Amino acid sequence: MKCKMFVLKNAEELNQLFMRNKDMSMLLDEKDRNILHEFINELQITKDNCLSLLKTFLTLQEHNYSIEIIWLLHTKQIINFAEFIKCYQWDLDHIVKTLLIISESNDKLNQTILTDLLTSLLILLSGEPNHQFDQHIRIIQTFLKQSSLMILRKPETWVYLKNLQFSPFLIKSTIHKVFKVVLKNMLMADIDFHLDVAYEQYRLYKTPDPVHNMLLMILDELDVDVLYSLINNVVTLDAQKANWKMILSLITTFVKKKSYHSHILKLKLEELFNQTLCSSSTNKDFLKCKATLLIFRHCCLEIGLWSEYSRWYSSYKPNVDTAKVFYSLLTELLPNDLPAALAAHTNVQPKLTESCCNIQTEYVNKAQAQLTKINNGQDFMGLFKDYDDCQNRHEADIVKVLDSFKSTGQIMRVVLEAFVFRNKYFVGTFLKTLMDSKLVDDQLRNSFIEKLYSMNKIPKNVYNKWKQQQKSIYF
C-alpha cells in the first residue's frame, strides 16, 4: 500500500517530466534532473514491487523519453541498459541515431552517458556468444560503422573512443575489437579520394590533427600484423574506391609512432606488392598492383624519403613475367608520376636478366623523356596540380608553401624535392617569384627565405641580390 501511495503521489509530477523530455537525445534541465534523482532515491528504499509499477509507467510512455532517464536508471542499477533494449523493444535504428547524436557533443555529461551505455553493451562481447544478445550486438555494430563515417566528416567526434579505452570495465581484447572495427570501416569508406587522385596528391596530403591524434591512440592498441591485415583487406576488396586519405594517414602515423617497427611494415608491404605482381592476370589485379605500389612507396618515403625508395628500386629483381607487369605499371603511371619518382627510376637500374632489358630500357627512355618535358615546361607546371584556370600558378605556389610554413614552421617536402629534381624550375621560377622585390615586404616570406638559405637551398649570389634589393626598399 505504501508503494502504491508513493507511485500515485509522484505519478503526475513524473508524467509532466516525461512530457517535457520526450526527445530521446535531449538531456534534462537542472530542475527535472533533481526531480528524477529524488524519485530514484525514494524508489531505492521502497519495496521491490514498486519496480514493476515503474516499468509499467515507462511502458506507457511509448519509449519517448530522454536518454538521460535511461542512463540514470541504468547507473543506479534499477534497470540495466541491456534490459531496456530487450524488454521495451525499442527501434534499434532510433537507439543508434541517439547514440550518434550525443557522440557529436563535447558536453561532458553527454560523453559520460555515451561511454557508460556503450560499455554496458560492449561487456556482452567479452563473454560467450549468446543469441539473446543479438539485438545488443547489432546496435554496437551499427553504431561503430556509422560512427566511423561520422569521424571522417567530423574528426573531433572520435573522443568517445578514448573514453572507452580508459574504461575500467572493458578488457583489452574488447578495446582491440572496437578499434579494429572502427579503423576497418574508415579505411573502406568511399570519400571520393580514389586511387588515381591519391597517386597525384599523396605527397601533398597532410593528415588533420584530430585524425592524427586518433590514429596515435588506435596504434597504441593495434600491432603491425593487424595494421597490415587491415590494409591488405581493403586493397583486396576495392583498391580503387578505398579511403586513400586514411590509408596514407595510417601509414604515415605508424612510421612516426612506431619507427622501430616501420621496416617490418615495409617488408610486409613489399612482399604484398611482389605477390600481387606475380599473380597479376586481370585488370583488377593490375589495379591492385597499382594500389600496393603506392602503399609500399609511401611507406618507404615516410621512413627515409626518396633515398629509401631509390635503394629498393635499384636492388629490385623481378623475374621475366613480373618485370613485364612492373614496367607496364610504371609506364601507365608516367603522365602523373612525380619527378622524384621518375628520377629514382632513371638514376640506377635494377640488374635484370637479358630478356628483361628491352622492357626496362623502353620504360627508362620514356621516363627520361617525361623528366625532360617537365624541366622544359617548368614555367607552366608549378609545384602543385590543383589550380584554378585563372590563377597565376607560381604565385599560388608561394601562397600555399607560405601557409604551410606559417602553420608548421617547416619547409614543405615538395619544395625540397623541387630543389633536387627540378633545380632549373626551382631557381629560375620558384625562387624568382618568391624573392620578387616588387612584392610587398612580408615577414613570413622573409623568414621562409632565410630558412631556405640556412639549408643551402638558395645560391649565394641570388640571396645576396635579394638582400640588396630588400635594403633598397627602405633607403
Side-chain angles (χ1 to χ4, degrees):
M1 184 68 181
K2 181 180 178 182
C3 178
K4 290 183 179 180
M5 290 295 293
F6 161 70
V7 174
L8 290 173
K9 176 184 174 183
N10 291 275
E12 183 57 31
E13 190 174 27
L14 276 176
N15 186 56
Q16 291 299 319
L17 183 149
F18 276 84
M19 291 292 290
R20 290 192 297 271
N21 298 280
K22 282 190 171 185
D23 186 344
M24 194 175 185
S25 60
M26 183 176 71
L27 298 185
L28 308 181
D29 62 23
E30 196 61 35
K31 179 181 177 181
D32 284 345
R33 190 170 291 127
N34 290 335
I35 292 172
L36 188 60
H37 273 289
E38 183 180 342
F39 170 75
I40 290 174
N41 289 337
E42 290 185 30
L43 183 64
Q44 287 178 314
I45 61 175
T46 59
K47 295 181 180 179
D48 290 341
N49 61 348
C50 289
L51 182 58
S52 62
L53 292 174
L54 172 63
K55 290 182 177 181
T56 301
F57 185 83
L58 291 173
T59 303
L60 293 174
Q61 305 305 313
E62 298 179 347
H63 318 141
N64 295 321
Y65 40 87
S66 166
I67 192 77
E68 186 177 351
I69 296 174
I70 300 166
W71 171 70
L72 280 169
L73 293 172
H74 167 80
T75 54
K76 296 295 184 179
Q77 299 182 342
I78 295 173
I79 304 177
N80 186 274
F81 184 48
E83 185 183 347
F84 263 111
I85 295 169
K86 180 181 177 182
C87 297
Y88 290 84
Q89 298 181 343
W90 285 339
D91 178 68
L92 301 189
D93 290 338
H94 187 45
I95 297 174
V96 171
K97 182 180 178 181
T98 301
L99 295 176
L100 288 170
I101 289 172
I102 63 176
S103 74
E104 292 185 86
S105 171
N106 292 324
D107 179 78
K108 186 176 180 180
L109 179 57
N110 266 318
Q111 288 297 325
T112 300
I113 291 172
L114 180 65
T115 302
D116 288 349
L117 297 185
L118 287 178
T119 298
S120 71
L121 298 181
L122 287 168
I123 287 173
L124 303 177
L125 290 175
S126 60
E128 293 294 324
N130 190 327
H131 290 301
Q132 68 174 313
F133 295 133
D134 285 351
Q135 283 183 308
H136 307 75
I137 302 304
R138 281 203 301 274
I139 289 173
I140 284 292
Q141 290 172 335
T142 307
F143 172 80
L144 291 178
K145 182 176 182 179
Q146 294 187 23
S147 172
S148 303
L149 301 179
M150 180 182 290
I151 291 171
L152 294 175
R153 296 193 304 271
K154 300 178 180 179
E156 64 278 0
T157 58
W158 69 270
V159 67
Y160 81 89
L161 293 171
K162 184 176 182 180
N163 295 333
L164 290 177
Q165 183 188 29
F166 291 105
S167 170
F169 303 106
L170 295 177
I171 58 177
K172 278 277 187 182
S173 61
T174 302
I175 296 298
H176 289 179
K177 288 179 184 177
V178 170
F179 285 3
K180 188 175 177 180
V181 169
V182 169
L183 190 54
K184 177 183 177 182
N185 283 311
M186 287 194 289
L187 292 174
M188 292 292 294
D190 183 355
I191 61 165
D192 201 26
F193 192 89
H194 297 161
L195 181 57
D196 292 336
V197 178
Y199 249 107
E200 291 188 17
Q201 299 185 21
Y202 73 100
R203 299 310 289 158
L204 308 178
Y205 177 67
K206 184 179 184 301
T207 306
D209 287 341
V211 174
H212 175 71
N213 293 334
M214 177 192 67
L215 290 175
L216 284 176
M217 178 195 68
I218 290 177
L219 291 174
D220 273 337
E221 301 292 340
L222 303 181
D223 60 26
V224 64
D225 291 327
V226 173
L227 175 64
Y228 169 75
S229 174
L230 289 171
I231 292 173
N232 187 7
N233 178 66
V234 71
V235 170
T236 301
L237 289 177
D238 195 345
Q240 174 63 17
K241 291 188 176 181
N243 181 355
W244 281 95
K245 283 186 178 180
M246 187 57 66
I247 294 173
L248 298 176
S249 294
L250 181 60
I251 292 172
T252 297
T253 307
F254 180 87
V255 170
K256 292 178 179 177
K257 169 73 176 175
K258 299 187 175 182
S259 56
Y260 47 92
H261 283 149
S262 58
H263 284 277
I264 298 176
L265 178 63
K266 190 190 83 167
L267 291 174
K268 286 179 175 290
L269 294 176
E270 180 181 356
E271 183 181 1
L272 175 62
F273 176 57
N274 287 330
Q275 289 173 351
T276 309
L277 282 178
C278 291
S279 62
S280 179
S281 59
T282 65
N283 288 336
K284 185 177 180 181
D285 293 331
F286 194 74
L287 188 67
K288 187 178 177 182
C289 290
K290 188 175 178 180
T292 52
L293 175 60
L294 173 58
I295 293 170
F296 171 67
R297 181 189 283 183
H298 188 66
C299 184
C300 286
L301 301 189
E302 290 300 328
I303 292 173
L305 294 177
W306 287 101
S307 59
E308 187 75 19
Y309 178 75
S310 298
R311 279 196 296 271
W312 168 80
Y313 176 78
S314 62
S315 61
Y316 186 52
K317 295 180 180 179
N319 60 35
V320 177
D321 293 333
T322 304
K324 290 179 180 178
V325 180
F326 179 55
Y327 283 105
S328 295
L329 173 61
L330 294 184
T331 300
E332 183 185 285
L333 296 175
L334 269 175
N336 295 318
D337 221 347
L338 297 175
L342 298 176
H345 297 156
T346 55
N347 286 341
V348 181
Q349 297 304 310
K351 293 181 180 179
L352 305 181
T353 60
E354 188 174 342
S355 57
C356 296
C357 288
N358 289 339
I359 304 169
Q360 185 184 62
T361 302
E362 184 179 353
Y363 166 75
V364 172
N365 289 338
K366 290 179 179 179
Q368 288 174 336
Q370 178 69 2
L371 267 178
T372 302
K373 179 181 176 182
I374 290 171
N375 288 328
N376 288 342
Q378 57 190 333
D379 288 332
F380 302 99
M381 186 174 175
L383 288 178
F384 307 101
K385 295 188 177 183
D386 51 340
Y387 302 100
D388 294 330
D389 290 339
C390 59
Q391 276 186 310
N392 180 320
R393 58 186 55 199
H394 305 311
E395 291 182 2
D397 282 349
I398 303 304
V399 170
K400 183 169 284 192
V401 298
L402 289 181
D403 282 345
S404 174
F405 182 68
K406 182 178 180 180
S407 62
T408 66
Q410 302 297 319
I411 305 294
M412 287 183 78
R413 182 177 290 153
V414 70
V415 176
L416 302 179
E417 289 173 354
F419 169 78
V420 176
F421 299 109
R422 299 174 59 202
N423 196 259
K424 288 183 180 179
Y425 159 79
F426 182 81
V427 175
T429 301
F430 179 77
L431 287 184
K432 183 179 178 182
T433 307
L434 175 68
M435 305 171 86
D436 188 349
S437 61
K438 295 177 183 177
L439 295 176
V440 176
D441 179 54
D442 177 73
Q443 185 59 43
L444 177 64
R445 182 172 66 102
N446 293 349
S447 298
F448 183 84
I449 292 171
E450 296 291 354
K451 178 83 170 180
L452 272 179
Y453 183 67
S454 70
M455 298 169 70
N456 296 319
K457 306 303 181 187
I458 301 178
K460 190 171 183 179
N461 63 320
V462 174
Y463 175 78
N464 289 339
K465 182 180 178 181
W466 171 74
K467 290 292 284 186
Q468 190 62 39
Q469 289 172 337
Q470 286 297 102
K471 290 180 181 179
S472 67
I473 293 175
Y474 301 103
F475 299 101

